[in-house]
Amino acid sequence: MIQTLKNAWKIEELRRKILFTLLIILLYRLGNAIPVPYVNKEALELYFASVQGTMLGLYNMMSGGAFSQATIFALSIQPYINASIIIQLLCIAIPALERLSKEGGEEGRKKIASITRYATVGIGLLMGFAYYMLMRNYQLISAGYEKSFWTALVIILTFTSGSALIMWLGEQITEFGIGNGISIILFASIMARLPRSIIATVQNVARGELAWWAAVLMFLGALAIIVLIVFVNDAERRLPVQYAKRVVGRKMYGGQSTFLPMKVNMSGVMPIIFASSIGSLPATIAGLAGKSTEGTWVETWFGNASIPYAIIYFLLIIFFAYFYSTIQFNPIEVSNNLKKNGGYIPGFRPGKPTSEFIQKVLNKITLFGAIYLGIIAVVPILISHFSDAARLTGLSLGGTSIMIAVGVALETVRALEAQMLMRNYKGFLD
């Protein structure tokens, strides 16, 4: 990874892209430090200190600490992620949207992206209103401004504008920078909290609230998870493909053997991000209603250290893993492409038998990848449920953070390598 960055830095075009990405991340971090008006910072700090074990902790983790400080970027990428989930589900449920996404080409993708942007703004308004109601009901707004319409308007619109600006920054990274912009921003949010988490762990050990050996075990466990993520991320199932010989003019083509690669973890970190977003919806709805989640079914079923939440989280990860693999990999299309090019999988007739075999293999490796994602994401939650020491370090959110951070880092390095390879091809052809 470090060597890839060094090689990319030597290329002027990629160096500009890396610097542009870093500039956008800097702007994002600056926005995380600007609070919205009319907020009582002292009361807000005390409130979030008392709700660390709830789903609000997930919001705070995915925003890089901006949610607990009520900054302009407090909603982070949550509205965009929720909007993407809704639009992708609608593309399957509504035939017109499905045709637009599959047959519309570049113009269709632009229209889908435009619909997603509008949905992001709408969800941002909803979440901004929910956060405002939360602050008003728990007296987190400065005295004298609690029931002012102007106060509500400014706070809600500031939160919504911040989420829309983050979406735009992510799109700029995707177009002019390195990797997927939304994933990069999420990665920056998680890594921004890393120094604070390390300091908190050291302080807990110093005060005697956390045994030193428990801290060492958690550190070694994090390293083991990173190694496992890297190993599985590169794992793939290779289906043998044989191309028939054919004569074109005076030349003979085909006859060679190759393979069709199918990644075990085809969907990357998206199932975890989507599952986390869906799991946080009850807390958003409770905030919208102005009700406390303490001692309620929301905390019982969706508290980030509860057994029911771990089960729901695990099932959501499996669902979104299959959902994403279905979107990304079409066995019928792959089978037709093989048939057109004179290729076939040994032992299976071209056409429907080949597509059925590919679908069967896809289901198996998707299940394995989904279980792998689910175990790594859920085990820290179970440990946190049965261990007070683990709860002190926020371990229930730590597993998810590691998964997302390492997955995004690997995807970004792979995108960087792809751009370097493409540039080498261009130089060779020129």
Side-chain angles (χ1 to χ4, degrees):
M1 178 178 177
I2 296 176
Q3 188 61 39
T4 300
L5 291 175
K6 286 182 178 180
N7 294 335
W9 188 259
K10 297 175 183 178
I11 302 172
E12 183 180 356
E13 181 185 355
L14 294 183
R15 184 165 62 244
R16 286 201 302 267
K17 290 188 175 184
I18 293 173
L19 290 174
F20 180 82
T21 303
L22 293 176
L23 176 62
I24 295 295
I25 292 174
L26 176 62
L27 293 175
Y28 170 68
R29 292 305 302 164
L30 287 175
N32 276 359
I34 302 175
V36 300
Y38 311 117
V39 176
N40 188 332
K41 295 181 181 179
E42 292 76 15
L44 190 69
E45 185 177 347
L46 290 174
Y47 174 76
F48 273 93
S50 65
V51 295
Q52 289 181 352
T54 67
M55 284 305 300
L56 297 180
L58 176 63
Y59 278 124
N60 204 33
M61 180 268 290
M62 297 187 75
S63 67
F67 188 78
S68 63
Q69 298 171 7
T71 67
I72 61 174
F73 287 164
L75 300 184
S76 190
I77 61 170
Q78 287 282 353
Y80 178 81
I81 291 175
N82 291 333
S84 298
I85 296 172
I86 293 171
I87 297 303
Q88 289 184 6
L89 289 174
L90 289 177
C91 284
I92 296 177
I94 301 177
L97 286 177
E98 185 178 9
R99 287 194 300 270
L100 187 64
S101 63
K102 291 184 177 180
E103 302 172 6
E106 185 65 25
E107 194 64 29
R109 284 191 289 271
K110 288 181 179 179
K111 289 183 179 180
I112 293 294
S114 179
I115 295 172
T116 304
R117 292 190 193 102
Y118 286 118
T120 299
V121 174
I123 294 175
L125 283 170
L126 179 66
M127 295 181 69
F129 180 65
Y131 197 1
Y132 165 75
M133 293 296 296
L134 178 72
M135 290 192 292
R136 196 182 76 169
N137 285 294
Y138 285 94
Q139 300 178 351
L140 305 179
I141 300 176
S142 300
Y145 298 99
E146 298 93 337
K147 297 183 180 181
S148 168
F149 173 78
W150 175 253
T151 300
L153 184 66
V154 169
I155 290 177
I156 294 170
L157 290 183
T158 302
F159 283 143
T160 306
S161 302
S163 65
L165 182 56
I166 289 176
M167 176 182 62
W168 181 81
L169 292 174
E171 290 177 348
Q172 298 309 300
I173 293 178
T174 302
E175 186 172 356
F176 302 108
I178 300 295
N180 182 284
I182 297 299
S183 298
I184 293 293
I185 288 176
L186 180 58
F187 175 81
S189 299
I190 294 172
M191 296 306 295
R193 292 184 57 81
L194 182 61
R196 192 179 306 174
S197 300
I198 294 174
I199 292 172
T201 302
V202 172
Q203 290 175 344
N204 288 330
V205 173
R207 289 194 297 262
E209 297 177 358
L210 180 66
W212 65 269
W213 55 266
V216 172
L217 282 179
M218 283 185 284
F219 175 73
L220 295 176
L223 289 180
I225 289 176
I226 291 173
V227 172
L228 179 61
I229 293 170
V230 174
F231 176 75
V232 176
N233 223 61
D234 293 332
E236 60 185 20
R237 170 73 185 274
R238 297 181 175 182
L239 301 181
V241 176
Q242 183 74 34
Y243 284 93
K245 294 181 180 180
R246 55 197 177 97
V247 178
V248 180
R250 295 183 178 182
K251 294 184 179 180
M252 180 176 291
Y253 294 91
Q256 75 271 22
S257 298
T258 182
F259 59 86
L260 176 67
M262 299 176 65
K263 294 187 68 65
V264 173
N265 186 23
M266 191 175 299
S267 51
V269 298
M270 295 310 296
I272 288 183
I273 296 176
F274 280 10
S276 300
S277 300
I278 294 296
S280 65
L281 281 179
T284 305
I285 296 172
L288 180 63
K291 296 180 179 180
S292 170
T293 60
E294 186 175 354
T296 64
W297 65 270
V298 175
E299 184 180 24
T300 302
W301 285 86
F302 296 96
N304 60 20
S306 68
I307 297 296
Y309 172 71
I311 296 173
I312 294 172
Y313 192 27
F314 185 83
L315 294 176
L316 282 174
I317 289 174
I318 292 179
F319 168 76
F320 281 115
Y322 274 98
F323 173 71
Y324 234 73
S325 66
T326 302
I327 292 176
Q328 290 183 319
F329 196 93
N330 188 342
I332 297 176
E333 185 177 341
V334 173
S335 175
N336 291 336
N337 289 337
L338 287 175
K339 187 177 180 180
K340 289 178 183 178
N341 292 286
Y344 63 94
I345 297 176
F348 297 91
R349 292 171 59 86
K352 187 177 180 181
T354 298
S355 64
E356 290 177 347
F357 172 71
I358 295 175
Q359 182 65 59
K360 184 178 179 180
V361 173
L362 178 63
N363 290 337
K364 288 182 179 179
I365 63 174
T366 301
L367 179 62
F368 177 83
I371 292 175
Y372 144 77
L373 288 174
I375 289 175
I376 290 184
V378 167
V379 165
I381 296 177
L382 299 178
I383 296 175
S384 184
H385 178 78
F386 294 107
S387 172
D388 292 333
R391 205 169 289 132
L392 286 172
T393 61
L395 188 61
S396 60
L397 297 180
T400 302
S401 301
I402 293 174
M403 281 290 304
I404 295 173
V406 175
V408 171
L410 291 174
E411 289 176 4
T412 304
V413 170
R414 195 173 291 114
L416 195 59
E417 290 175 343
Q419 292 197 28
M420 292 172 62
L421 185 62
M422 185 169 59
R423 186 183 182 279
N424 289 335
Y425 276 134
K426 285 182 179 179
F428 174 76
L429 292 173
D430 292 341

